[in-house]
Amino acid sequence: MTTKFGFTKMNIAEFESWISNLRVARTILYVQEHHTWNPSYASCTPTNHFEVQRGMKTYHVSNNGWMDIGQHFTTFPDGSILTGRSLEQTPACILGFNSNSVCIENLGNFDTGKDVMTTAHKDTIIRMTAALCKKFGITVNSNKVVYHHWFNLTTGERNNGTKNNKTCPGTAFFGGNSVSACEQHFLPLVSATLSGAPIPAPVPANILKYVSVNTDSLNIRTGANAQSAKVSGVLPAVLGSVLRVFEVKNGWYRISGSQQHWVNGSYTLDVTRATVNATTLNVRSGPGTSFPKVGSFMKGQEVFIIDEQQGWSKISADNKWVKKEFLDVS
């Protein structure tokens, strides 16, 4: 592995080892698949990975006004992987579907007739997706591994590519960008990498509850007090991140099942994990049908409830509400 411009470059075998050992406080439920469209394969040389990644970060920060590069990882034609935004940060990749997601940008234009994905690139994308699903206990299905094409660009509503959608990750991405193409051509390859079986995603029995960070930056310490040292190599949890709580002590929360990683509970809010039980669940800007529709969820998608009013559940800090009766609490 090599590091430059704040990014780390690795091959897929290195990534598999690295991600399995990485400590991540933020709760991750979804994997997003994208293509860059531009830069495309023509932009790549055997030695310019870091320069291409820095160019994307510069564009995202200077032109889009984002805090950092949008994606967590970028895959390259030779099978290399570069890190991007910290996994503790929510990505800036799919409007309305970034919370609790990890974002993969696959460098290239994979629309029909454009870049032909290399064998090395295919292998990395499949194995990387599998490694992330294994790491975070993500079930390999089209509710959990999603394509950008399935979401309306203006509203964030999941419409499976029927109106106002990008082609991302490409009309020729592993046989196509539709839900059926994903289920027929891509997800079986990911499952096969995981010994042929989808990973179950039960809620671990030793989780006491979930909380959401309500301060800009929350330090993670080695003990349940402010005098304990910050955990080495682990970034602070950030505003809106959902954390798992395994132990409570004197107002402090242990957020790792195996390590002494603690945060001050006074800077968090309790939230409840729930699963959508309706075929399509409308998301509104307030707690009632009189409020505008701002998106939708599909059956099986998971959300975190942060407030409730008169039979409605708030599932996002930016005023997104759904009818409570269409949620099954985990």
Side-chain angles (χ1 to χ4, degrees):
M1 294 193 290
T2 54
T3 299
K4 187 177 180 181
F5 305 142
F7 309 119
T8 297
K9 176 174 171 280
M10 59 192 96
N11 60 37
I12 185 57
E14 291 170 329
F15 176 83
E16 289 168 332
S17 175
W18 175 81
I19 195 67
S20 68
N21 292 298
L22 186 68
R23 302 291 179 184
V24 181
R26 187 170 69 100
T27 301
I28 293 175
L29 304 176
Y30 304 102
V31 177
Q32 301 177 5
E33 299 286 350
H34 300 257
H35 73 165
T36 58
W37 191 77
N38 181 37
S40 64
Y41 272 23
S43 304
C44 298
T45 72
T47 60
N48 74 343
H49 302 76
F50 290 104
E51 287 72 20
V52 170
Q53 187 82 331
R54 183 174 62 173
M56 283 190 279
K57 177 178 178 177
T58 299
Y59 183 85
H60 290 172
V61 173
S62 300
N63 290 66
N64 296 353
W66 299 345
M67 58 172 288
D68 199 350
I69 192 170
Q71 66 265 33
H72 293 115
F73 304 104
T74 305
T75 67
F76 285 78
D78 64 356
S80 297
I81 300 164
L82 261 69
T83 59
R85 181 177 293 215
S86 164
L87 279 171
E88 298 296 357
Q89 298 277 356
T90 298
C93 296
I94 297 179
L95 176 68
F97 202 81
N98 288 315
S99 297
N100 309 114
S101 294
V102 56
C103 172
I104 306 172
E105 282 282 0
N106 301 298
L107 193 144
N109 180 354
F110 301 118
D111 285 340
T112 301
K114 301 301 181 180
D115 292 330
V116 177
M117 192 181 291
T118 66
T119 299
H121 206 175
K122 287 180 181 179
D123 182 60
T124 285
I125 294 169
I126 295 165
R127 289 172 61 183
M128 183 180 195
T129 303
L132 290 167
C133 289
K134 181 177 181 180
K135 170 69 176 180
F136 299 112
I138 298 171
T139 305
V140 182
N141 63 40
S142 56
N143 281 331
K144 296 293 189 176
V145 180
V146 302
Y147 291 178
H148 195 179
H149 174 62
W150 304 345
F151 297 84
N152 185 299
L153 291 174
T154 302
T155 67
E157 176 182 6
R158 179 164 176 176
N159 60 19
N160 291 340
T162 57
K163 183 180 179 181
N164 192 32
N165 306 78
K166 282 188 172 183
T167 61
C168 179
T171 55
F173 184 83
F174 288 90
N177 60 2
S178 67
V179 174
S180 61
C182 174
E183 293 173 341
Q184 293 175 35
H185 302 297
F186 181 60
L187 296 184
L189 298 174
V190 177
S191 291
T193 302
L194 297 165
S195 301
I199 290 179
V203 178
N206 56 342
I207 291 180
L208 299 181
K209 62 178 180 177
Y210 293 89
V211 296
S212 176
V213 177
N214 67 351
T215 186
D216 288 340
S217 180
L218 181 57
N219 289 324
I220 301 172
R221 298 189 179 275
T222 57
N225 56 73
Q227 290 70 47
S228 295
K230 298 176 186 177
V231 176
S232 176
V234 176
L235 293 175
V238 298
L239 182 67
S241 295
V242 175
L243 311 178
R244 301 167 294 275
V245 177
F246 295 88
E247 183 181 353
V248 178
K249 183 186 294 185
N250 299 324
W252 286 71
Y253 297 154
R254 181 164 61 86
I255 61 169
S256 171
S258 59
Q259 303 290 317
Q260 292 298 310
H261 292 180
W262 296 81
V263 298
N264 190 332
S266 63
Y267 296 104
T268 68
L269 299 172
D270 286 4
V271 297
T272 303
R273 183 170 174 171
T275 304
V276 175
N277 62 30
T279 302
T280 303
L281 178 58
N282 290 330
V283 181
R284 298 189 178 274
S285 62
T289 55
S290 61
F291 290 91
K293 179 181 173 183
V294 293
S296 66
F297 289 113
M298 308 292 287
K299 187 173 184 177
Q301 289 183 226
E302 292 189 270
V303 298
F304 287 96
I305 301 169
I306 62 177
D307 192 13
E308 293 185 350
Q309 290 185 27
Q310 300 177 335
W312 288 78
S313 297
K314 187 177 182 180
I315 46 91
S316 174
D318 58 341
N319 279 323
K320 291 182 179 177
W321 296 77
V322 298
K323 195 73 171 172
K324 181 181 178 180
E325 65 186 276
F326 299 115
L327 296 177
D328 291 332
V329 174
S330 299

